Amino acid sequence: MLSKVFVYGSLMRGLHNSHFLAQSKLVNPNARTLNAEYCLLDELEEHPTYYRREVVPLQDEKEAWMYLLHDDAQLKLIQRDIAGSKFKAVMPAGDWRAFLSHQGERSCK
């Protein structure tokens, strides 16, 4: 089994779910190694019904697990929200920390 997981959103270092990865090692800006099973992350991400853990390629040509939104009902709601009234895009694209700080999210210390 892969020991790397691609990290974004609330699992990023210093954010409210980062404690799930407290014992992991940063191996590049986007992936951490895990020494334990994925049970806790699977439960947090509601794998495989809401998010699904899938293998994705990294820039260094290696692979990592990543949790991708899989819930069909939620995906349809996002796709129908063209005006962005319920779901807001992360701006600038992919800058999750900037998005959360703009929304008033507090980092964990």
Side-chain angles (χ1 to χ4, degrees):
M1 177 179 258
L2 285 172
S3 64
K4 295 179 186 172
V5 62
F6 176 85
V7 177
Y8 65 102
S10 67
L11 288 169
M12 292 172 62
R13 185 184 300 164
L15 297 180
H16 61 276
N17 283 324
S18 63
H19 63 278
F20 285 98
L21 299 172
Q23 301 302 314
S24 65
K25 175 184 167 191
L26 186 67
V27 292
N28 77 32
N30 298 314
R32 300 180 75 76
T33 59
L34 295 177
N35 295 325
E37 295 292 324
Y38 288 85
C39 296
L40 290 175
L41 289 180
D42 285 353
E43 186 176 333
L44 172 70
E45 304 291 2
E46 298 178 46
H47 168 74
T49 55
Y50 194 76
Y51 285 93
R52 183 173 287 162
R53 181 168 31 95
E54 296 183 15
V55 176
V56 295
L58 300 175
Q59 289 178 342
D60 63 5
E61 298 183 15
K62 295 182 181 174
E63 296 177 327
W65 289 110
M66 180 176 179
Y67 289 88
L68 301 169
L69 184 60
H70 179 69
D71 181 84
D72 288 334
Q74 189 71 13
L75 284 168
K76 287 176 184 172
L77 284 173
I78 293 168
Q79 291 167 346
R80 284 190 288 234
D81 186 30
I82 296 169
S85 58
K86 288 187 177 185
F87 303 97
K88 297 183 190 284
V90 176
M91 298 303 280
D95 191 341
W96 189 254
R97 288 183 194 280
F99 173 76
L100 290 178
S101 75
H102 185 272
Q103 299 294 318
E105 173 74 21
R106 294 180 186 249
S107 294
C108 297
K109 300 292 181 196

